[in-house]
Amino acid sequence: MKRVNVLTEGAILLALFTVLTLMTLYLPLIGAFLMVFLPLPFILYSVRHGIKAAVTLMAASILITLLVGSLFALPLTLTYAISGIVMGYFYKKKQTSGALIGGTIAFLISFVVMYAASAAFFQIDPIKEATGSMDETIEMARSMMAAIGQEANEAAINQIEEQMKYIGYLIPSVLVSVSFIFALLSHAATIPVLKRLKIQVVPLKPFREWKLPTSIVWYYLIVSFLLFFDLENDSFLFIAVLNLMFVLQVLLVVQGFSFIFFYSYVKKYSKALPVAAIILSLILPILMYIVRILGIIDLAFNLRGRVKK
């Protein structure tokens, strides 16, 4: 009887995943929103019945994907299935932070494999395609301005071209950041469902209580010092330092936003205030620098302790 229930639940979750996959593939606008729910069937099955059952569900989902979708939909299934199984394993172990870390690593490995496969088998490099499109857009803008008798702002164009060169160097950092965002969104979509099914999940600390190790500030200072040296652009050291700087800057910005939420909570301000701070920082990049500095001060000088006093 128990085996019948397991198979029945597996069939329901497989049907759910199939519907979500089809909507993601053929309804782009709705699909972009539904993508965060794709790991959910595998998370639920892994939490309730273990990894072996979840792997079986993944095998069945691969067959269904090939039947109703196409070969190009297979990477989508594998990415979300593997990530869902990994996250479900940690949820079952009552390790919510482990689910986020494990999900991030699973997404990262999947993205790296897909990137390598597209470059090796299909001769498609997404980064080069993106930079190529940008170059074409810049040349088109130059031509249009020349046609109407105006001179292009060469200083601004050169700055954009210089920034585009660094995109290829920052691939590792970008992939890590995107993987974490995907894991975080999957977590946010999964938790309400698990609670609804009365599956106990250890909650994460509130964002206002997030605090990184103080050593992050020292790493940031060391990496900033290394950037003062004239490093060769294509060297391993230059790429490593550039990626470390990007990751550290993101971490310090997260720390700064965490402090804003903490300060707002202590002062009993409206919850809309820290949310507005995030939105404004995304619109006005200069505010992001201020938030980063705030994160540095919070870590280096225990700003939270001073606020409490």
Side-chain angles (χ1 to χ4, degrees):
M1 186 67 180
K2 183 179 178 181
R3 182 172 177 78
V4 173
N5 291 335
V6 172
L7 292 175
T8 302
E9 186 177 340
I12 294 171
L13 292 175
L14 181 60
L16 174 63
F17 178 77
T18 303
V19 172
L20 290 173
T21 302
L22 289 174
M23 294 181 73
T24 301
L25 291 173
Y26 301 112
L27 299 173
L29 293 177
I30 300 175
F33 170 75
L34 293 177
M35 283 179 69
V36 299
F37 295 97
L38 285 174
L40 183 57
F42 302 97
I43 292 174
L44 290 176
Y45 212 55
S46 181
V47 169
R48 293 171 68 88
H49 306 293
I51 288 184
K52 289 183 179 179
V55 171
T56 303
L57 180 65
M58 181 177 70
S61 67
I62 291 172
L63 293 175
I64 294 295
T65 299
L66 293 175
L67 289 174
V68 302
S70 64
L71 185 63
F72 292 100
L74 186 59
L76 185 75
T77 298
L78 288 172
T79 297
Y80 286 99
I82 294 172
S83 303
I85 292 172
V86 171
M87 293 181 74
Y89 169 80
F90 284 103
Y91 284 133
K92 190 172 184 178
K93 295 286 186 180
K94 303 292 188 296
Q95 299 175 6
T96 306
S97 57
L100 277 177
I101 296 171
T104 300
I105 294 173
F107 274 116
L108 178 61
I109 293 173
S110 299
F111 292 152
V112 169
V113 170
M114 284 193 293
Y115 180 84
S118 65
F121 297 107
F122 303 105
Q123 282 74 50
I124 299 174
D125 190 330
I127 302 299
K128 287 184 178 179
E129 292 289 332
T131 53
S133 300
M134 182 61 74
D135 290 337
E136 291 177 4
T137 303
I138 292 172
E139 290 301 323
M140 188 180 299
R142 276 177 172 160
S143 301
M144 290 177 64
M145 295 189 74
I148 61 177
Q150 293 186 4
E151 293 185 3
N153 189 338
E154 290 297 332
I157 291 175
N158 291 334
Q159 186 177 3
I160 294 172
E161 290 177 340
E162 189 68 24
Q163 290 175 349
M164 291 299 297
K165 291 179 182 179
Y166 288 95
I167 291 178
Y169 299 139
L170 290 173
I171 290 176
S173 299
V174 171
L175 287 177
V176 171
S177 302
V178 170
S179 300
F180 176 73
I181 291 171
F182 270 71
L184 192 62
L185 292 175
S186 299
H187 169 78
T190 299
I191 293 302
V193 179
L194 294 180
K195 288 182 178 179
R196 184 76 175 177
L197 295 174
K198 297 182 179 179
I199 297 174
Q200 292 185 351
V201 179
V202 179
L204 288 172
K205 284 185 177 181
F207 182 57
R208 65 178 181 272
E209 295 181 12
W210 288 18
K211 191 167 184 182
L212 297 169
T214 308
S215 56
I216 293 291
V217 176
W218 290 107
Y219 297 148
Y220 180 74
L221 292 175
I222 292 170
V223 173
S224 300
F225 177 73
L226 289 174
L227 284 175
F228 281 108
F229 292 95
D230 187 18
L231 302 175
E232 188 177 348
N233 281 4
D234 294 327
S235 67
F236 173 79
L237 181 59
F238 175 78
I239 295 172
V241 168
L242 201 63
N243 280 274
L244 280 172
M245 175 57 74
F246 179 83
V247 171
L248 290 170
Q249 286 178 343
V250 170
L251 291 175
L252 289 170
V253 166
V254 170
Q255 184 65 43
F257 283 130
S258 175
F259 174 78
I260 293 173
F261 274 80
F262 170 81
Y263 185 82
S264 180
Y265 176 79
V266 171
K267 297 295 183 180
K268 298 181 180 179
Y269 294 149
S270 170
K271 293 182 179 179
L273 179 63
V275 174
I278 293 177
I279 295 172
L280 286 174
S281 298
L282 294 174
I283 297 173
L284 303 172
I286 190 170
L287 294 179
M288 202 69 78
Y289 292 104
I290 298 173
V291 173
R292 190 198 310 164
I293 293 170
L294 194 59
I296 294 172
I297 297 172
D298 183 29
L299 289 179
F301 302 102
N302 189 22
L303 199 54
R304 295 174 191 235
R306 297 174 186 271
V307 170
K308 286 181 180 179
K309 290 179 182 179

